[in-house]
Amino acid sequence: MANSPNDSNTILKPEIEKTKLPPMFKVLLLNDDYTPMEFVVECIERFFNKSREQATKIMLQVHTEGVGICGIYPQDIAETKMHQVLNFAKELQHPLQCTIEPV
Ligand code: TYC
């Protein structure tokens, strides 16, 4: 069109492709005095695809520091993983707490 903004002899900068990354969320486990260590390790292996060694390290971090990061994901995936942990813990009547937090 005659009056469109780019209808001139102006040299335009090429559009830089913007690959938008989704906001990311940390999935955190919280310590408590009752959930067995073995159950926490099993949760981390199962829902966060960690090796037994990695899972044990994260569990011990939570046990000693009070909180630990199991993984970082887009919001919907982080929420799903949190619910999977909470449902599994509830099923076995462990008080394990899991939450998510923006990065
Ligand atoms: N503190 C628990 C115990 O001594 C173990 C534990 C670790 C519980 C991590 C929760 O997120 C947790 N049995």
Side-chain angles (χ1 to χ4, degrees), residues 30-88:
L30 308 181
N31 190 34
D32 67 70
D33 292 338
Y34 306 103
T35 305
M37 289 184 174
E38 175 54 34
F39 178 80
V40 179
V41 171
E42 165 71 21
C43 274
I44 299 169
E45 284 181 304
R46 187 187 289 213
F47 301 120
F48 302 95
N49 311 309
K50 304 292 186 197
S51 67
R52 176 139 285 246
E53 197 182 348
Q54 291 170 314
T56 302
K57 224 168 159 180
I58 294 168
M59 181 282 293
L60 288 173
Q61 159 87 20
V62 180
H63 179 69
T64 56
E65 304 292 325
V67 64
I69 302 172
C70 294
I72 299 178
Y73 308 93
Q75 186 166 12
D76 53 344
I77 297 173
E79 281 171 354
T80 299
K81 289 184 182 290
M82 175 187 76
H83 287 124
Q84 286 173 327
V85 170
L86 292 172
N87 290 339
F88 189 37

Side-chain angles (χ1 to χ4, degrees), residues 1-52:
M1 270 210 248
N3 292 328
S4 70
N6 295 338
D7 189 16
S8 70
N9 292 325
T10 317
I11 297 167
L12 299 172
K13 280 189 214 159
E15 255 309 300
I16 295 166
E17 198 173 313
K18 292 181 189 97
T19 42
K20 265 240 176 160
L21 297 170
M24 302 297 274
F25 284 71
K26 294 180 266 190
V27 182
L28 306 170
L29 278 183
L30 308 181
N31 190 34
D32 67 70
D33 292 338
Y34 306 103
T35 305
M37 289 184 174
E38 175 54 34
F39 178 80
V40 179
V41 171
E42 165 71 21
C43 274
I44 299 169
E45 284 181 304
R46 187 187 289 213
F47 301 120
F48 302 95
N49 311 309
K50 304 292 186 197
S51 67
R52 176 139 285 246

